[in-house]
Amino acid sequence: MNDASTANKNLMQGATGPWEIVIGLEVHAQVNSKSKLFSGSSTAFGAEPNSHVSLVDAAMPGMLPVINEECVAQAIRTGLGLKAQINNRSIFDRKNYFYPDLPQGYQISQYKYPIVGEGVIEIDAEGESMTVGIERLHLEQDAGKSIHDQHPDYSYVDLNRSGVALMEIVSKPDMRSAKQAQAYVTKLRTILRYLETCDGDMEKGNLRADVNVSVRKPGDKLGTRCEIKNVNSIRFIGQAIEVEARRQIGIIEDGGKIDQETRLFDPAKGETRAMRSKEEAHDYRYFPDPDLLPLEFTQGYVDGLKAHLPELPDEKKARFIKDFGLSAYDASVLVAEKANADYFEIVAKDRDGKIAANWVINELFGRLNKEGKDIEHSPVSAAQLGGIVGLISSNAISGKIAKDLFEIVWTEGGDPADIVEKRGMKQVTDTGAIEKAVNEIIKANPEKVEQAKLKPSMLGWFVGQVMKQTGGKAAPAAVSDMLKAKLGIE
Amino acid sequence: MQVDAATVRRIARLARIKVTDEEAKGLEKELSGILDWVRQLDEVDTSGVEPMVRVVAQQMKQRADVVNDGEIADAVVANAPLTEDHFFVVPKVVE
C-alpha cells in the first residue's frame, strides 16, 4: 500500500536519521437518529440539563434497553458506504468502567462481534491516491457530559448525551503522515454526510477522533503506540500527530523507551501529555450484555438498504468527469460537500459543464467565502447562476458583462435573462453594428491608424475604444478580428 | 484455582469496593472456592457447540425511531444527594 516512493516522502528527520510515522484512527461518529440507541428520549443538541433523559438513560434499577431499528440501519448503510463486510449477526457487550457521567457503570458496546467488518476508503493526500483499510465499525452508547468549571469542589453532570448512538469506525494502521490522516478523516466525514448517517459536525463533538501514533525506523517492526484521545478538529489531528511523533522520536533517540499510554493534545500549548488516570491500567472486563439478544437481520434487509443508498462521492466525482468533462481537481472540489455538488448539477444541467464548474468554484465559492455565507444561504440560486452560465454559453453576454450580471443578481436578485434584456446588456454579435462602431473609431483617429500599421500592439487600444463605444457589449473576438482586417494587422 | 491477595485487591479496586486486609483474607478463600466449583463445567466437552444465548428461539425486539420518553428532569434527579438546575452535582473529577 505504501510503496517506497510514497513512504520516503513522508519520513520525519530525526538526529539519527529518518523515521516513519505509523497512524491509525478510531473515529466516533454520532448516528443521525431522532431517539437514542436504547431508549425513546431525544438526541437533539443543546437542551436543558437532563431533559432528554429517560429512566433507561439514567440507569435506574430494572430499566431495560430496547434497540432503535434506525440506528441499526444507519450502521449498515455506513458499512455499505465503506464497502465493508456486513455481519448479519453481532453481539452487544458491556464495557465496564466507573465515571460520574456513565450512570450504568458500563457502556453498551460491541467487542468481539461488531456489526460491520473490514472495508476501505480511497483518499487523495498531497496529489496521491491511496487506500486506507477499515478494520471494523461497531455501535455503542455515548456517555453523558461532565462540566468541571462551574464550582471549585464539584463537577456537574448532564446525561442528555447519555445513550445517544455512536458508530466507532476503526481504521487499519495504514497512514504514514499527518496529511494522510487528515485526508482520511475529511473523506470519511464526506461519506457520512452523503449517507446522512452522521452530520459530521466536529464543533458539536458529533465527530471526534482518537489518534494512534507510533514511530519506527523504515523497515523495522511496529513501535509502541500512544493513543491521543478526543481530537475534535481536522487541523488539530494534523498538529497532534506531528507533535506526538516528534516527542516519541526525541525519547527514543535519547535512549529512552515509549510507554504505551493514553494522552491528550493541548492545542494552546502545542503538546500532548499523559492522562492522569494511566495507573488505572484499563481492564474493561467485557462480557455479553445479558439484557440484549444477538442483533440479527437477513441479507434481504441489507440488500433493501443498499438499493436506496445515495450516489457516493467517488461515484459522483467519476460521473462529473465523464458527463461534464471536468478536471479531476474541479470534480473533487465540487463533490467534497453534497450541497455543493447538488448546486453544481442544477447549474450545469443541459449547459456547458466546464463554464458551470468555473463559475461555481471561482465566482460563487469565492464570493460566499468572502462574505462568510454557506451555499444554503447563497443569494444567487443555482437556477439563477445556471441562467447566467446559459447566457455566457450562448454568447448572449461576454465574460466581463457576466461578472456585472452576477453582481446584480447577487445584490438585487431577479431573472438573469430579464435583467440582460431590460438593461440592454446583450453582447452585440451583429457584425453590422460592430462594423459601424469600428468604422467610426478608425475615422476619428487617422494618426493612430498609421501608428498601428507599424506597431501591431496598438490593436489593444482600438479594441478598447470599440468596446467603450458599444458599452462593453460587443463580442471582443469579433471586434478584434474586424479591426485586424481593417487595419491590415496580421 | 488459587486467588491470591493481589488479585482480590485488583478486583475490589475495579469494582470500587473497599476491602480491609482482614476481609481480603477471607475473600481469597471464598473466591477460590467459587472458581473451583464453577470449574466443574470444564469437564463437559463443548468443542463445536455454539454458546446458548436464549432458551426460546426469538429475535431481539426493536423499536421505531420515535421520541416518546424523557422530559422528566425532575424525576431523573429526584433521588440525587446534590443537584443544581437539574444537573447532578458530584465530587470534583478532573482529568
Side-chain angles (χ1 to χ4, degrees):
Chain A
M1 196 158 296
N2 284 272
D3 61 33
S5 62
T6 39
N8 279 338
K9 198 184 67 186
N10 293 319
L11 296 180
M12 191 177 251
Q13 281 302 320
T16 61
W19 292 81
E20 184 178 48
I21 312 173
V22 178
I23 305 154
L25 286 148
E26 292 166 22
V27 170
H28 289 90
Q30 184 179 317
V31 174
N32 259 349
S33 64
K34 296 188 194 76
S35 62
K36 295 184 178 179
L37 181 54
F38 293 114
S39 85
S41 39
S42 168
T43 58
F45 182 81
E48 290 294 304
N50 287 314
S51 57
H52 293 342
V53 178
S54 71
L55 298 181
V56 177
D57 310 316
M60 292 297 167
M63 295 296 113
L64 288 172
V66 185
I67 198 163
N68 180 341
E69 63 185 5
E70 176 62 10
C71 295
V72 174
Q74 293 286 53
I76 296 171
R77 288 185 190 110
T78 306
L80 292 169
L82 301 175
K83 300 178 182 65
Q85 150 138 17
I86 308 297
N87 295 322
N88 295 17
R89 183 177 196 272
S90 63
I91 306 277
F92 285 99
D93 296 273
R94 292 183 178 182
K95 178 180 179 178
N96 298 278
Y97 67 94
F98 287 105
Y99 204 73
D101 57 28
L102 186 78
Q104 288 168 152
Y106 58 84
Q107 176 192 32
I108 303 178
S109 180
Q110 299 190 297
Y111 187 52
K112 268 193 198 151
Y113 305 99
I115 183 167
V116 175
E118 292 188 336
V120 289
I121 291 186
E122 304 289 335
I123 65 166
D124 290 307
E126 297 173 286
E128 283 177 49
S129 300
M130 64 178 281
T131 304
V132 176
I134 299 292
E135 176 72 34
R136 60 184 281 161
L137 174 156
H138 68 251
L139 277 169
E140 63 183 27
Q141 299 175 299
D142 206 345
K145 195 176 158 72
S146 301
I147 303 167
H148 304 296
D149 57 6
Q150 298 291 303
H151 193 284
D153 306 320
Y154 294 102
S155 293
Y156 286 51
V157 178
D158 173 16
L159 300 180
N160 280 343
R161 215 178 55 190
S162 166
V164 170
L166 297 178
M167 295 177 283
E168 179 171 326
I169 303 162
V170 184
S171 83
K172 292 183 183 287
D174 284 349
M175 289 153 279
R176 296 291 178 269
S177 72
K179 285 269 186 330
Q180 289 176 3
Q182 290 176 308
Y184 167 81
V185 177
T186 304
K187 185 63 178 286
L188 174 57
R189 181 175 176 276
T190 299
I191 293 170
L192 295 170
R193 285 173 55 80
Y194 267 67
L195 292 166
E196 295 178 12
T197 57
C198 167
D199 69 14
D201 190 333
M202 298 187 83
E203 275 174 30
K204 287 185 187 149
N206 295 351
L207 188 81
R208 45 195 199 262
D210 298 342
V211 188
N212 285 294
V213 179
S214 65
V215 298
R216 64 179 172 187
K217 283 287 172 76
D220 279 4
K221 61 179 176 53
L222 286 176
T224 305
R225 68 189 157 88
C226 289
E227 180 181 11
I228 310 161
K229 276 275 181 204
N230 265 334
V231 190
N232 63 0
S233 86
I234 288 173
R235 192 158 57 93
F236 290 163
I237 288 171
Q239 291 173 0
I241 291 168
E242 297 277 343
V243 163
E244 176 61 15
R246 278 269 159 244
R247 184 189 73 88
Q248 293 184 12
I249 292 168
I251 290 173
I252 300 171
E253 289 189 331
D254 288 345
K257 210 169 117 285
I258 306 299
D259 294 323
Q260 181 166 345
E261 63 189 2
T262 306
R263 302 180 66 85
L264 285 176
F265 175 62
D266 182 338
K269 290 192 182 140
E271 61 174 33
T272 66
R273 59 170 181 272
M275 289 173 75
R276 259 186 276 169
S277 57
K278 72 172 175 182
E279 73 272 11
E280 298 245 352
H282 286 307
D283 181 348
Y284 293 123
R285 293 149 293 146
Y286 282 98
F287 63 88
D289 191 320
D291 290 340
L292 292 160
L293 283 166
L295 175 58
E296 292 169 318
F297 41 79
T298 62
Q299 189 55 40
Y301 178 64
V302 177
D303 293 342
L305 293 172
K306 191 172 190 174
H308 291 98
L309 281 193
E311 183 183 39
L312 288 166
D314 287 345
E315 300 159 9
K316 201 183 281 288
K317 179 179 164 188
R319 184 167 60 80
F320 280 8
I321 292 171
K322 186 168 158 283
D323 291 0
F324 294 111
L326 302 190
S327 68
Y329 179 79
D330 282 356
S332 297
V333 171
L334 289 169
V335 303
E337 285 291 342
K338 187 162 176 291
N340 292 347
D342 291 347
Y343 186 105
F344 165 76
E345 282 213 67
I346 298 170
V347 175
K349 190 172 174 352
D350 301 325
R351 300 190 180 103
D352 185 312
K354 280 185 180 164
I355 296 179
N358 181 36
W359 274 78
V360 171
I361 294 171
N362 296 317
E363 303 301 327
L364 181 76
F365 290 176
R367 190 65 186 271
L368 289 171
N369 264 341
K370 206 169 112 193
E371 304 210 1
K373 286 190 156 75
D374 57 31
I375 199 148
E376 282 85 4
H377 300 99
S378 169
V380 178
S381 72
Q384 286 171 318
L385 188 54
I388 297 175
V389 168
L391 291 165
I392 301 169
S393 320
S394 66
N395 274 323
I397 56 174
S398 66
K400 188 186 164 298
I401 292 286
K403 290 194 184 186
D404 297 341
L405 177 59
F406 180 80
E407 186 59 38
I408 294 168
V409 176
W410 180 282
T411 47
E412 301 170 29
D415 175 53
D418 273 0
I419 295 169
V420 165
E421 199 60 50
K422 286 203 185 104
R423 305 196 189 185
M425 296 165 81
K426 253 207 164 96
Q427 176 159 261
V428 179
T429 47
D430 164 17
T431 42
I434 294 174
E435 189 165 21
K436 186 164 163 278
V438 167
N439 285 341
E440 279 169 21
I441 297 292
I442 288 179
K443 202 171 160 199
N445 300 282
E447 72 291 352
K448 295 252 193 236
V449 173
E450 285 310 309
Q451 287 173 20
K453 285 181 177 149
L454 302 166
K455 201 173 152 220
S457 61
M458 282 292 292
L459 180 68
W461 181 86
F462 279 96
V463 174
Q465 292 302 306
V466 175
M467 293 306 286
K468 206 190 240 173
Q469 179 98 349
T470 56
K473 290 177 287 181
V479 172
S480 179
D481 286 349
M482 193 172 290
L483 277 165
K484 275 184 193 165
K486 299 223 176 224
L487 294 172
I489 298 173
E490 274 308 302
Chain B
M1 181 178 274
Q2 191 53 44
V3 174
D4 60 14
T7 307
V8 171
R9 289 251 154 263
R10 212 171 91 78
I11 295 168
R13 167 110 190 103
L14 285 170
R16 298 293 189 281
I17 295 172
K18 196 173 184 178
V19 174
T20 63
D21 288 345
E22 195 80 356
E23 289 167 324
K25 277 218 166 52
L27 282 168
E28 277 175 49
K29 263 186 72 182
E30 232 178 282
L31 288 175
S32 301
I34 292 168
L35 289 175
D36 278 337
W37 182 73
V38 172
R39 203 171 48 171
Q40 291 177 74
L41 291 172
D42 287 348
E43 291 166 20
V44 185
D45 180 7
T46 57
S47 51
V49 179
E50 279 270 305
M52 189 184 78
V53 292
R54 62 203 132 189
V55 180
V56 189
Q58 62 171 7
Q59 290 284 316
M60 177 158 69
K61 290 271 185 296
Q62 304 199 8
R63 22 174 295 273
D65 183 26
V66 287
V67 176
N68 55 13
D69 207 345
E71 313 311 315
I72 45 166
D74 284 337
V76 166
V77 300
N79 294 319
L82 204 54
T83 67
E84 194 179 314
D85 296 336
H86 289 121
F87 279 107
F88 291 99
V89 177
V90 303
K92 193 127 187 153
V93 273
V94 175
E95 186 53 68

